Amino acid sequence: MTAQFTFLSGARTGQVETFRKAYIGLGRHPLSDLRFDADRDLDVSSRHAVIVRQGEGFTVRDLGSKNGTFVNGQRISSEVTLEDGDVIAFGQKGPAVEFRVIAADGSSDEVSPAARASASADRPSGADPGRRPSAAVRIVAEVARLRRTTKALIGLLLLSLGGFGWSQWRAARDTRELAGLQTRADSLSREAQRLLTRFQSELQSVRDALRQSQAEVARLRGELAAAGSGDDAHSVTRLRAELDTAEARQRGIAGAAAVDYRAISRNNQDAVALLVVKYSDAQIFSGTAFAVDSQGTLVTNKHVLVGEAGDRRPSAIAVKFSGSKQWFQGRLLGVADTADVGVLQVAVRGGTPRVLGFARDANGLQRGDPVAIIGYPLGEDLPMEHQGQSAVVADPTLTVGTVSKVLSDVIQVDGYGAPGSSGSPVFDRDGHVVAVLYGGNRESQGKIIYGVPAAAITGYLKKLVESR
């Protein structure tokens, strides 16, 4: 039995693919069997759904996708048996395919009229075939618009009522505000003490920051205790501003211990690849690279691609993405003159996964900020899953660290690095790239590592595009 899929909508409309497999993966990931366009079919998740052959039939199951899987217009929540001619949609407004079962003699029917009608229903004239809003979707959009209008009217009403009550509230404002500020200061002091106790075994930089915050709050509490309702408005405003600053600083410190490293890994690890560079049969080096777009553009270190002196040319470059056992051939695009940044490209059908993006604020990274590093220290020498006798599935390592110094041309991190880590992306708490790891202090045994700031990476990528 052979499964045939005809793309009814989306970036691949009109294309047909067939599979004689017991397990068919569907999604935008380059390793999916039935792959959707990584840039245009955005309603489809990386690994969206799976079709499994069971005897003489096939079943479909959603893999926890963001927008859901629909069979003949009905969203599925469990495994569903497919019938010949069923229409499978990926998200309510996403692309759709028609499923057919081809008999052993290879015969198959054309796309059924019912399937074409299902795929094109409710599409307004001139609409994008990959985006077919139904009547229900239009109703939801209209309801959302009415809700926004209602919220705006309620906001105007509240604004009017606030103006009316302003004169009544202003007379007693100073006394109430001083009492509220005192309460906040007491609360901050208790929270600082709780966090300080919790972080006794954590990083020294975080503990130092908490002690400074505790001292600042103690000073503000003293000034608030000495203030009275008769103090001028300028003093109250100053104390309020200083307390707001102290409160924001302490929230940031507490957030350093609550970084969602799982989310950082989930959003980025598929784009991090094991890199092998061959100069000769006797000289083969490994490192890490990460994809910055879906066209196969990867960033790594200059010294990984052309050697420490920058005068070598690789005879072969190979790339294996996270979760894959397949090697892809790489092509050197260029290396930066002043920074340890190199760029290569791989051609992968359907596109490549990519990192979440680069940090936008060049000055946002500060001493004491937590970071995560995803890479391949020691290459394939670390434990990895095997398929068959020799195929190794690439599995990157996640390490965490703390920024210990930020300079214009280097970011120093207290973390971990080893041969093979070169080219690893360094992520901030939001999962955006802030640096690319290039080396470390030899005497620290890999515990003090250095990275090229994101600004240097994006600057060279822009220069590389302009030079083409």
Side-chain angles (χ1 to χ4, degrees):
M1 303 288 287
T2 301
Q4 174 180 286
F5 301 87
T6 302
F7 288 80
L8 302 178
S9 60
R12 299 184 62 188
T13 300
Q15 298 183 28
V16 179
E17 288 196 17
T18 59
F19 301 91
R20 297 191 65 181
K21 299 179 63 176
Y23 184 99
I24 305 171
L26 303 89
R28 289 191 298 131
H29 194 280
L31 300 179
S32 297
D33 298 298
L34 189 67
R35 287 190 289 272
F36 291 80
D37 190 279
D39 283 329
R40 293 184 286 173
D41 293 331
L42 299 181
D43 289 297
V44 185
S45 297
S46 178
R47 292 183 173 88
H48 195 107
V50 64
I51 292 178
V52 180
R53 179 178 173 182
Q54 295 183 352
E56 296 299 318
F58 294 83
T59 61
V60 61
R61 182 173 74 251
D62 187 86
L63 295 179
S65 64
K66 179 180 179 182
N67 296 312
T69 303
F70 297 76
V71 176
N72 297 329
Q74 298 295 320
R75 184 164 184 167
I76 64 174
S77 58
S78 59
E79 194 171 74
V80 172
T81 301
L82 290 172
E83 301 292 337
D84 189 56
D86 281 350
V87 175
I88 308 171
F90 302 83
Q92 192 172 22
K93 297 186 292 182
V97 299
E98 183 189 47
F99 169 80
R100 307 290 295 185
V101 178
I102 302 177
D105 61 358
S107 63
S108 63
D109 295 330
E110 295 295 325
V111 179
S112 67
R116 293 189 182 278
S118 174
S120 59
D122 299 317
R123 183 181 67 181
S125 177
D128 180 0
R131 304 285 182 174
R132 292 175 168 81
S134 64
V137 174
R138 293 197 298 272
I139 291 172
V140 171
E142 185 63 20
V143 170
R145 186 185 66 81
L146 291 175
R147 285 178 177 173
R148 291 194 297 269
T149 303
T150 302
K151 289 180 179 179
L153 291 174
I154 293 175
L156 289 174
L157 178 61
L158 292 176
L159 187 62
S160 300
L161 292 175
F164 175 78
W166 171 258
S167 58
Q168 303 296 320
W169 172 85
R170 190 171 182 177
R173 179 188 61 184
D174 289 349
T175 302
R176 289 199 307 270
E177 186 164 10
L178 281 171
L181 292 175
Q182 184 69 56
T183 300
R184 285 174 58 192
D186 292 342
S187 176
L188 277 176
S189 180
R190 291 192 298 269
E191 180 67 8
Q193 184 60 46
R194 184 186 70 82
L195 289 172
L196 186 60
T197 302
R198 175 184 170 188
F199 288 154
Q200 287 300 316
S201 61
E202 299 295 333
L203 300 173
Q204 183 64 40
S205 58
V206 178
R207 296 202 302 270
D208 292 343
L210 277 173
R211 290 193 181 97
Q212 294 175 6
S213 175
Q214 190 176 33
E216 177 68 8
V217 171
R219 181 185 66 80
L220 289 173
R221 291 181 65 204
E223 291 194 32
L224 285 167
S229 59
D231 281 12
D232 59 81
H234 177 73
S235 298
V236 175
T237 300
R238 178 182 61 81
L239 289 171
R240 180 173 61 250
E242 292 184 5
L243 189 58
D244 287 342
T245 301
E247 193 172 33
R249 184 187 301 113
Q250 191 160 303
R251 280 200 305 268
I253 298 170
V259 176
D260 191 347
Y261 294 107
R262 290 185 178 179
I264 295 174
S265 179
R266 183 172 59 250
N267 293 330
N268 293 285
Q269 72 173 13
D270 285 350
V272 182
L274 176 64
L275 175 65
V276 173
V277 180
K278 178 180 179 182
Y279 296 117
S280 66
D281 291 339
Q283 293 182 314
I284 301 176
F285 299 92
S286 68
T288 302
F290 59 97
V292 297
D293 59 31
S294 58
Q295 285 74 49
T297 305
L298 279 75
V299 170
T300 185
N301 289 142
K302 173 181 178 179
H303 76 263
V304 173
L305 295 175
V306 296
E308 294 288 349
D311 57 354
R312 309 189 71 176
R313 298 294 295 182
S315 61
I317 301 175
V319 171
K320 184 190 291 187
F321 284 93
S322 170
S324 171
K325 63 179 181 179
Q326 181 178 357
W327 288 102
F328 295 95
Q329 183 177 355
R331 176 172 66 91
L332 175 63
L333 290 183
V335 294
D337 294 331
T338 58
D340 197 348
V341 176
V343 179
L344 65 146
Q345 190 167 41
V346 295
V348 178
R349 183 183 176 189
T352 58
R354 57 189 176 189
V355 293
L356 197 59
F358 289 93
R360 295 183 178 180
D361 185 3
N363 299 317
L365 198 64
Q366 302 292 329
R367 189 194 308 266
D369 283 352
V371 291
I373 305 166
I374 301 178
Y376 295 88
L378 304 179
E380 291 185 328
D381 290 341
L382 290 180
M384 294 189 189
E385 294 290 342
H386 287 70
Q387 289 187 359
Q389 295 182 348
S390 60
V392 178
V393 179
D395 187 9
T397 298
L398 170 70
T399 58
V400 300
T402 305
V403 175
S404 54
K405 186 177 296 184
V406 179
L407 303 176
S408 60
D409 59 346
V410 65
I411 292 174
Q412 179 177 304
V413 175
D414 292 344
Y416 175 74
S421 296
S422 294
S424 300
V426 182
F427 300 97
D428 62 13
R429 69 176 71 234
D430 298 320
H432 293 99
V433 177
V434 292
V436 56
L437 191 155
Y438 70 84
N441 185 293
R442 296 181 182 277
E443 297 180 357
S444 70
Q445 298 180 334
K447 297 179 180 179
I448 298 178
I449 52 182
Y450 306 122
V452 178
I457 306 171
T458 56
Y460 178 64
L461 288 171
K462 182 179 178 181
K463 180 180 178 181
L464 197 60
V465 170
E466 293 173 347
S467 65
R468 291 184 183 178

